[in-house]
Amino acid sequence: MPMHDLTPQQCLDALAWQVDAGADEAVGDTPGLAHWVGTSAKAAPQQPPLRHRSAPDTAAAPVPPPARAERNAPPTTAIAAETIEALREELGRFEGCALKHTAMNLVFADGNPQADVMLVGEAPGEDEDRQGKPFVGVSGQLLDRMLASIGLDRSSVYISNVLFWRPPGNRSPTDAEIAACLPFVERHIALAQPKIVVPMGGVATKSLLRTKEGITRLRGRWTDYTPHLGRDDTPSIRCLPLYHPAYLLRQPGAKRQAWNDLLTLKKALNEANSLK
Ligand code: URA
């Protein structure tokens, strides 16, 4: 989205994010910005843990990928859905995840399902649960500023999570909850067919990529993601893990790396669109 389409407040927010991320220090640098990677982060005061987080702690991401046995038995309903709307309806009927009974709402997706980029977060928090929409709380506000800084907004991305219901008290998701939801997440991605899938934070990255490697190693590095659906008609998708916005709220020093990763994403999108 061009800056002139933003409201004055949105412009200020996007600029604040860029200054926090150290973008002002990049003026005059070559576009590579490689010197940012691996340099020590700008000294920033450590924020105390958020007392009313709207998202679980995605940074620590202590949740290993689901056990293979759980993954081998995906609900056939998820795989059978031929449209995103059908998938949402299946989830509404799905009884395989107990979180449904403690949550207020199913939190399915927001944004544009035809977008080139699909962002996948961890789990809805309190605000998301209340509104039935992903990333509407404080993490979502930072996410909006991050997107605006590279000319994107909710009409140019599609957003979902690896869990469709809020874990009580924003606790970390269990392996079993992730395993129950993952076939729906994978089918969701396969149906949306984004050019680029962006897992945000350790839990989403580990779950989608089936890796034990941490987000600090994987962020900003391209990989290929293939939804594991037991169907061989599922093409692989370019994948760029990013830090989760909730982590950046707690560790503002990491915003410089996040900014670099956003530029990587922007460059790939520009290249993909120039091929159209
Ligand atoms: N954090 C997430 O991972 N997802 C949301 O929808 C909100 C916060």
Side-chain angles (χ1 to χ4, degrees):
M1 185 172 64
M3 276 301 220
H4 57 74
D5 287 348
L6 297 174
T7 64
Q9 188 56 49
Q10 284 171 322
C11 285
L12 287 174
D13 286 349
L15 281 172
W17 149 256
Q18 284 172 305
V19 170
D20 274 3
D24 53 330
E25 294 168 29
V27 174
D29 284 332
T30 52
L33 295 173
H35 65 288
W36 285 14
V37 179
T39 59
S40 59
K42 181 157 62 177
Q46 294 263 314
Q47 284 200 342
L50 298 178
R51 285 178 58 211
H52 299 288
R53 286 184 297 131
S54 70
D57 182 349
T58 52
V63 182
R68 180 158 293 283
E70 290 164 322
R71 279 195 256 123
N72 282 348
T76 49
T77 50
I79 291 173
E82 290 296 342
T83 63
I84 289 178
E85 202 37 55
L87 189 71
R88 181 202 277 265
E89 283 165 18
E90 288 300 345
L91 265 174
R93 289 188 285 270
F94 181 56
E95 290 298 337
C97 181
L99 292 177
K100 182 179 196 173
H101 302 294
T102 48
M104 275 191 268
N105 281 302
L106 167 70
V107 178
F108 184 67
D110 192 26
N112 178 357
Q114 264 117 42
D116 288 343
V117 186
M118 180 165 177
L119 306 166
V120 182
E122 179 176 324
E126 189 178 356
D127 297 316
E128 289 78 18
D129 186 31
R130 203 175 300 119
Q131 295 187 38
K133 256 196 207 182
F135 285 98
V136 291
V138 281
S139 299
Q141 286 159 21
L142 177 58
L143 179 61
D144 286 339
R145 291 204 295 277
M146 291 163 67
L147 293 173
S149 73
I150 53 164
L152 300 176
D153 64 10
R154 292 195 185 221
S155 68
S156 47
V157 299
Y158 191 46
I159 309 178
S160 190
N161 283 308
V162 290
L163 286 192
F164 298 97
W165 297 275
R166 178 193 182 201
N170 296 346
R171 65 159 168 75
S172 293
T174 66
D175 292 357
E177 288 159 357
I178 294 174
C181 292
L182 199 54
F184 290 93
V185 177
E186 306 226 64
R187 186 70 184 137
H188 198 181
I189 297 169
L191 287 168
Q193 288 188 316
K195 289 199 175 94
I196 299 171
V197 64
V198 175
M200 294 185 295
V203 170
T205 303
K206 289 177 182 185
S207 304
L208 291 188
L209 298 181
R210 284 145 163 92
T211 178
K212 287 188 174 15
E213 267 202 89
I215 185 64
T216 45
R217 286 179 65 84
L218 294 175
R219 57 142 275 273
R221 282 167 50 183
W222 288 106
T223 183
D224 278 333
Y225 162 70
T226 309
H228 292 232
L229 292 171
R231 299 163 53 137
D232 48 19
D233 61 347
T234 314
S236 68
I237 301 170
R238 296 186 78 198
C239 176
L240 184 71
L242 295 187
Y243 280 137
H244 192 286
Y247 173 73
L248 296 174
L249 286 170
R250 295 192 306 282
Q251 300 290 339
K255 286 181 180 176
R256 308 181 93 203
Q257 293 173 312
W259 167 240
N260 206 22
D261 298 344
L262 285 170
L263 292 179
T264 302
L265 175 63
K266 179 70 182 161
K267 185 163 174 269
L269 280 172
N270 287 346
E271 282 166 6
N273 286 323
S274 71
L275 297 176
K276 264 185 187 168

Short mmCIF file of all heavy atoms in Angstrom, two decimals, residues 54-56 58 107 120-125 128 133-137 139-140 159-161 200 244 246, ligand 1:
data_model
loop_
_atom_site.label_atom_id
_atom_site.label_comp_id
_atom_site.label_asym_id
_atom_site.label_seq_id
_atom_site.Cartn_x
_atom_site.Cartn_y
_atom_site.Cartn_z
N SER A 54 -1.62 -10.26 24.98
CA SER A 54 -2.73 -10.79 24.19
C SER A 54 -2.26 -11.99 23.40
O SER A 54 -2.95 -12.52 22.57
CB SER A 54 -3.26 -9.72 23.23
OG SER A 54 -2.33 -9.49 22.23
N ALA A 55 -1.00 -12.40 23.66
CA ALA A 55 -0.51 -13.58 22.96
C ALA A 55 0.38 -14.35 23.91
O ALA A 55 1.01 -13.77 24.78
CB ALA A 55 0.30 -13.17 21.73
N PRO A 56 0.46 -15.65 23.72
CA PRO A 56 1.36 -16.42 24.54
C PRO A 56 2.81 -16.10 24.20
O PRO A 56 3.09 -15.46 23.20
CB PRO A 56 1.03 -17.87 24.20
CG PRO A 56 0.10 -17.83 23.08
CD PRO A 56 -0.30 -16.43 22.79
N THR A 58 5.67 -16.49 22.50
CA THR A 58 6.06 -17.21 21.31
C THR A 58 7.55 -17.29 21.17
O THR A 58 8.06 -18.09 20.41
CB THR A 58 5.53 -16.49 20.07
OG1 THR A 58 5.93 -15.16 20.18
CG2 THR A 58 4.05 -16.60 19.99
N VAL A 107 -11.22 -18.49 15.98
CA VAL A 107 -10.45 -17.41 15.34
C VAL A 107 -9.81 -18.02 14.10
O VAL A 107 -8.83 -18.76 14.19
CB VAL A 107 -9.39 -16.86 16.32
CG1 VAL A 107 -8.56 -15.77 15.64
CG2 VAL A 107 -10.06 -16.31 17.57
N VAL A 120 1.36 -16.73 9.53
CA VAL A 120 0.78 -17.71 10.47
C VAL A 120 1.38 -17.46 11.85
O VAL A 120 2.59 -17.60 12.04
CB VAL A 120 1.06 -19.15 10.00
CG1 VAL A 120 0.41 -20.14 10.97
CG2 VAL A 120 0.53 -19.38 8.58
N GLY A 121 0.53 -17.06 12.78
CA GLY A 121 0.98 -16.82 14.15
C GLY A 121 0.78 -18.06 15.01
O GLY A 121 0.63 -19.18 14.50
N GLU A 122 0.77 -17.84 16.32
CA GLU A 122 0.70 -18.97 17.25
C GLU A 122 -0.75 -19.30 17.65
O GLU A 122 -1.29 -20.32 17.25
CB GLU A 122 1.54 -18.65 18.48
CG GLU A 122 1.53 -19.75 19.52
CD GLU A 122 2.46 -19.44 20.68
OE1 GLU A 122 3.53 -18.84 20.46
OE2 GLU A 122 2.10 -19.79 21.81
N ALA A 123 -1.33 -18.44 18.43
CA ALA A 123 -2.66 -18.73 18.96
C ALA A 123 -3.36 -17.43 19.31
O ALA A 123 -2.70 -16.44 19.65
CB ALA A 123 -2.54 -19.59 20.22
N PRO A 124 -4.68 -17.43 19.25
CA PRO A 124 -5.40 -16.22 19.63
C PRO A 124 -5.17 -15.90 21.11
O PRO A 124 -5.02 -16.80 21.93
CB PRO A 124 -6.87 -16.58 19.40
CG PRO A 124 -6.87 -17.85 18.61
CD PRO A 124 -5.56 -18.53 18.85
N GLY A 125 -5.14 -14.62 21.42
CA GLY A 125 -5.14 -14.16 22.81
C GLY A 125 -6.54 -13.71 23.18
O GLY A 125 -7.52 -14.00 22.48
N GLU A 128 -8.31 -11.40 20.58
CA GLU A 128 -8.66 -12.15 19.37
C GLU A 128 -9.85 -13.07 19.65
O GLU A 128 -10.75 -13.22 18.83
CB GLU A 128 -7.45 -12.98 18.92
CG GLU A 128 -6.30 -12.16 18.35
CD GLU A 128 -5.44 -11.46 19.40
OE1 GLU A 128 -5.51 -11.86 20.58
OE2 GLU A 128 -4.73 -10.50 19.04
N LYS A 133 -11.06 -12.72 15.59
CA LYS A 133 -10.15 -12.31 14.50
C LYS A 133 -8.71 -12.38 15.00
O LYS A 133 -8.44 -11.94 16.12
CB LYS A 133 -10.40 -10.85 14.14
CG LYS A 133 -11.15 -10.59 12.89
CD LYS A 133 -10.93 -9.15 12.54
CE LYS A 133 -12.07 -8.59 11.75
NZ LYS A 133 -11.78 -7.19 11.40
N PRO A 134 -7.78 -12.89 14.16
CA PRO A 134 -6.39 -12.94 14.61
C PRO A 134 -5.73 -11.56 14.65
O PRO A 134 -6.07 -10.67 13.87
CB PRO A 134 -5.70 -13.82 13.55
CG PRO A 134 -6.56 -13.74 12.35
CD PRO A 134 -7.97 -13.47 12.83
N PHE A 135 -4.79 -11.44 15.57
CA PHE A 135 -3.93 -10.26 15.66
C PHE A 135 -4.70 -8.94 15.70
O PHE A 135 -4.50 -8.06 14.88
CB PHE A 135 -2.90 -10.27 14.52
CG PHE A 135 -1.79 -11.26 14.75
CD1 PHE A 135 -1.84 -12.51 14.16
CD2 PHE A 135 -0.73 -10.96 15.59
CE1 PHE A 135 -0.83 -13.45 14.39
CE2 PHE A 135 0.27 -11.90 15.84
CZ PHE A 135 0.22 -13.14 15.23
N VAL A 136 -5.57 -8.82 16.69
CA VAL A 136 -6.25 -7.54 16.89
C VAL A 136 -5.84 -6.87 18.19
O VAL A 136 -6.24 -5.74 18.47
CB VAL A 136 -7.80 -7.70 16.85
CG1 VAL A 136 -8.29 -8.05 15.47
CG2 VAL A 136 -8.27 -8.72 17.88
N GLY A 137 -5.02 -7.54 19.01
CA GLY A 137 -4.56 -6.95 20.27
C GLY A 137 -3.25 -6.19 20.08
O GLY A 137 -2.95 -5.73 18.97
N SER A 139 -0.14 -7.19 19.99
CA SER A 139 0.76 -7.79 18.98
C SER A 139 0.28 -7.43 17.58
O SER A 139 1.09 -7.18 16.68
CB SER A 139 0.77 -9.31 19.08
OG SER A 139 1.22 -9.73 20.30
N GLY A 140 -1.02 -7.44 17.41
CA GLY A 140 -1.61 -7.12 16.10
C GLY A 140 -1.33 -5.68 15.70
O GLY A 140 -1.09 -5.39 14.52
N ILE A 159 -3.94 -13.69 7.14
CA ILE A 159 -3.39 -13.95 8.48
C ILE A 159 -4.17 -15.05 9.19
O ILE A 159 -5.41 -15.01 9.23
CB ILE A 159 -3.44 -12.69 9.36
CG1 ILE A 159 -2.83 -11.48 8.65
CG2 ILE A 159 -2.74 -12.93 10.69
CD1 ILE A 159 -2.89 -10.18 9.46
N SER A 160 -3.45 -16.01 9.74
CA SER A 160 -4.10 -17.02 10.57
C SER A 160 -3.12 -17.47 11.66
O SER A 160 -2.09 -16.83 11.86
CB SER A 160 -4.56 -18.19 9.69
OG SER A 160 -5.39 -19.07 10.44
N ASN A 161 -3.44 -18.54 12.34
CA ASN A 161 -2.63 -19.04 13.46
C ASN A 161 -2.52 -20.56 13.37
O ASN A 161 -3.31 -21.19 12.67
CB ASN A 161 -3.31 -18.70 14.79
CG ASN A 161 -3.13 -17.25 15.20
OD1 ASN A 161 -2.02 -16.74 15.24
ND2 ASN A 161 -4.24 -16.59 15.50
N MET A 200 5.25 -16.88 12.07
CA MET A 200 5.78 -15.86 12.99
C MET A 200 5.99 -16.48 14.36
O MET A 200 5.04 -16.92 15.00
CB MET A 200 4.82 -14.68 13.07
CG MET A 200 4.71 -13.92 11.75
SD MET A 200 3.68 -12.46 11.88
CE MET A 200 2.10 -13.19 12.24
N HIS A 244 8.03 -13.27 16.12
CA HIS A 244 6.64 -12.95 16.45
C HIS A 244 6.57 -11.52 17.01
O HIS A 244 7.45 -11.11 17.79
CB HIS A 244 6.14 -13.95 17.49
CG HIS A 244 4.68 -13.90 17.69
ND1 HIS A 244 4.05 -12.87 18.37
CD2 HIS A 244 3.69 -14.75 17.30
CE1 HIS A 244 2.76 -13.10 18.39
NE2 HIS A 244 2.50 -14.23 17.74
N ALA A 246 4.87 -10.36 19.38
CA ALA A 246 4.86 -10.35 20.86
C ALA A 246 6.29 -10.42 21.39
O ALA A 246 6.61 -9.82 22.42
CB ALA A 246 4.03 -11.52 21.39
N1 URA B 1 -0.63 -13.78 18.82
C1 URA B 1 -0.80 -14.75 17.91
O1 URA B 1 0.07 -15.59 17.72
N2 URA B 1 -1.92 -14.77 17.23
C2 URA B 1 -2.88 -13.88 17.38
O2 URA B 1 -3.88 -13.97 16.70
C3 URA B 1 -2.68 -12.87 18.33
C4 URA B 1 -1.55 -12.83 19.03
#
